[in-house]
């Protein structure tokens, strides 16, 4: 990644927004800001920042709606949701549109910067042995790695869905380690990054989302297999690595 990394802070709470701008500028990032969702989306679309820090409860257009619009526009920005605990968090967990990461308020600057750096490392994505083909078939599903989308046959014809950057990174890792048993801890280290601090539950949550997008029957997966007590193994029967 060349030049300064640009981060857009979308947060209506003035004190928190200013503190974030201060801290991130101090870390050497170039920081853009918006105090409401409408403005946040406009800046995201016009500036294409590397990372968007997105509060959910915003005046006017809320963070969920902003995130959905960002993903529909296929903007490549990574999105880290800044979420409060409680009900809002439950909505985040069930949220399908795809943030790249979440931090729960209150969070420390150190934690946030760790998450940002982990997301940036994944965006660089230049790990050796990385699969470079843009389209990959997983069973009936056709994944377009460049377009962040997956298409699979449904009852009413083909259905395309977006993949979050994290889902895509996880899938790439599976593709590059086909047939290997992958422990949750290793997936956390290699996909989420050492600087981040998610839990093994985070891995399960993202695996579940990937299964719903890729597998014919997500309850009886044929590709992303559970290895009980250990983690997961990715397999494409009959398609080879
Ligand atoms: Ca707020």
């Amino acid at each position: 990644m060349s030049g300064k990394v640009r981060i857009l802070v979308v947060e209506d709470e003035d004190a928190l927004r200013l503190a974030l701008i201060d801290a991130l500028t101090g870390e050497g990032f170039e920081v853009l800001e918006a105090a409401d969702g409408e403005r946040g989306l406009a800046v995201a679309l016009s500036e294409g920042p590397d990372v968007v820090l997105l509060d959910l409860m915003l005046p006017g257009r809320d963070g969920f709606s902003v995130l959905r619009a960002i993903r529909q526009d296929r903007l490549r920005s990574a999105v880290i949701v800044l979420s409060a605990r409680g009900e809002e968090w439950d909505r985040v967990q069930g949220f399908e549109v795809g943030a790249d990461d979440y931090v729960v308020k209150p969070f420390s600057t150190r934690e946030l910067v760790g998450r940002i750096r982990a997301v940036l490392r994944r965006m660089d994505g230049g790990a050796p042995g990385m699969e470079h083909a843009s389209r990959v078939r997983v069973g009936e599903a056709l994944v377009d790695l460049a377009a962040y989308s997956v298409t699979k046959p449904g009852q009413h014809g083909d259905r395309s869905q977006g993949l979050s950057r994290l889902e895509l990174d996880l899938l790439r890792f599976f593709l590059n380690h086909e047939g290997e048993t992958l422990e949750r801890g290793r997936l956390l280290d290699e996909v989420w990054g050492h600087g981040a601090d998610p839990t093994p539950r985070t891995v399960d949550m993202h695996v579940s989302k990937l299964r719903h997008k890729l597998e014919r029957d997500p309850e009886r997966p044929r590709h992303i297999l559970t290895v009980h007590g250990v983690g997961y193994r990715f397999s494409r029967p009959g398609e080879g690595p």
Side-chain angles (χ1 to χ4, degrees), residues 29 35 50 63 78 97 103 108 131 158 161 171 177 184 191 206 223 233-234:
F29 297 115
D50 300 292
V97 175
V103 283
S108 68
E131 181 147 352
D158 284 358
Q161 283 182 286
L171 178 57
H177 296 87
R184 283 185 183 77
V191 180
H206 282 85
H223 302 289
R233 187 174 67 245
F234 180 76

Side-chain angles (χ1 to χ4, degrees), residues 11-12 55 57 105:
E11 168 62 66
D12 61 317
D55 182 31
M57 294 303 123
K105 294 176 182 177

Side-chain angles (χ1 to χ4, degrees), residues 9 12-13 24 67 80 86 90-91 95 98 117 128 133 144 179 181-182 184 186 188 194 201 213 237:
V9 178
D12 61 317
E13 215 177 296
L24 296 173
L67 179 50
I80 299 178
D90 293 340
R91 272 185 78 193
F95 192 47
R117 299 223 184 272
D144 188 330
T181 296
L182 302 166
R184 283 185 183 77
R186 181 170 172 204
L188 281 172
H194 293 279
R201 173 79 186 83
K213 292 178 181 179

Side-chain angles (χ1 to χ4, degrees), residues 145-179:
L145 299 170
Y148 289 68
S149 72
V150 53
T151 305
K152 75 172 176 180
Q155 284 174 315
H156 309 286
D158 284 358
R159 175 154 186 255
S160 283
Q161 283 182 286
L163 291 169
S164 73
R165 193 186 301 277
L166 199 42
E167 288 164 354
L168 194 78
D169 287 342
L170 184 58
L171 178 57
R172 276 185 196 275
F173 195 81
F174 280 138
L175 286 164
N176 286 323
H177 296 87
E178 203 168 331

